[in-house]
Amino acid sequence: MSVDEPAFILDGRLALDLTWTLRYRAVAPTELLVGPPDLARWVTAAVAPVTETVSDGLLAEAVRLREAIHDAARAVVDGRRVRPVDRAVINDHAARPAPYLELSPSGAATVRLRPGAEVESALAAVALDAVDLLSADDGRLRACEGPACALLFHDSSRPGRRRWCSAQRCGNRVNLAAHRRRRAEHTEG
Ligand SMILES: [Zn+2]
């Protein structure tokens, strides 16, 4: 990866990781999937290595799936019903052939994308994760409380009290701001 290519954030939930490819949604939306090679890079980082060429049409499909997942997850976070149009996009992708697992010589399981439909199969895996996430009804799908962040995350921690997309990114910023406020009050008083 060269320096001018922004790093993707991967947090272990494919569906949400895809929504994070549009950064700073709330303040200054920044598209990370600008061209087909960006989608190939994301799938390689998040699912498994891509060897096939990605078309513009496939990129458009991935972005459409991403926005459907984002809007559906936002609805669940806000306690609203998922819109039929978003459900349709997610279900359409979830019905396609997904990646499969292969037993490697070392005894480990390796994820393999479907030959001839590598990225399509990766998107199917993303959509299946979205169905799992959106149907969980576990109260652990949340929006980050970081200032102007708005990233959606799933809290898989045991205590289940996570408030930020990432403690490093938003948790620290909030704590630092509180620390500065306390210090300022101290100095003034
Ligand atoms: Zn955040």
Side-chain angles (χ1 to χ4, degrees), residues 177-189:
H179 177 72
R180 285 209 188 104
R181 245 190 336 267
R182 275 197 305 274
R183 246 185 32 184
E185 280 160 17
H186 198 72
T187 325
E188 281 158 23

Side-chain angles (χ1 to χ4, degrees), residues 116-174:
E118 286 183 344
V119 170
E120 289 95 324
S121 68
L123 295 181
V126 170
L128 286 170
D129 185 51
V131 172
D132 185 44
L133 193 71
L134 297 167
S135 65
D137 195 25
D138 57 4
R140 283 168 170 259
L141 187 57
R142 296 180 201 138
C144 177
E145 293 178 21
C149 179
L151 286 184
L152 303 175
F153 66 90
H154 183 259
D155 182 1
S156 59
S157 73
R158 194 190 281 264
R161 288 193 295 267
R162 191 173 147 192
R163 295 164 58 198
W164 300 297
C165 61
S166 148
Q168 284 77 42
R169 276 191 306 280
C170 286
N172 283 357
R173 279 201 289 153
V174 170

Side-chain angles (χ1 to χ4, degrees), residues 61 64-69 84-94 96 127:
E61 274 195 58
R64 195 157 151 257
L65 174 63
R66 178 188 71 191
E67 294 312 302
I69 293 172
V85 60
D86 295 327
R87 266 196 300 124
V89 172
I90 293 166
N91 287 339
D92 175 43
H93 280 279
R96 299 181 195 182

Side-chain angles (χ1 to χ4, degrees), residues 18-19 21-22 25 31 62-70:
L18 182 62
T19 69
T21 60
L22 184 64
R25 253 172 215 277
E31 179 61 83
V63 168
R64 195 157 151 257
L65 174 63
R66 178 188 71 191
E67 294 312 302
I69 293 172
H70 176 269

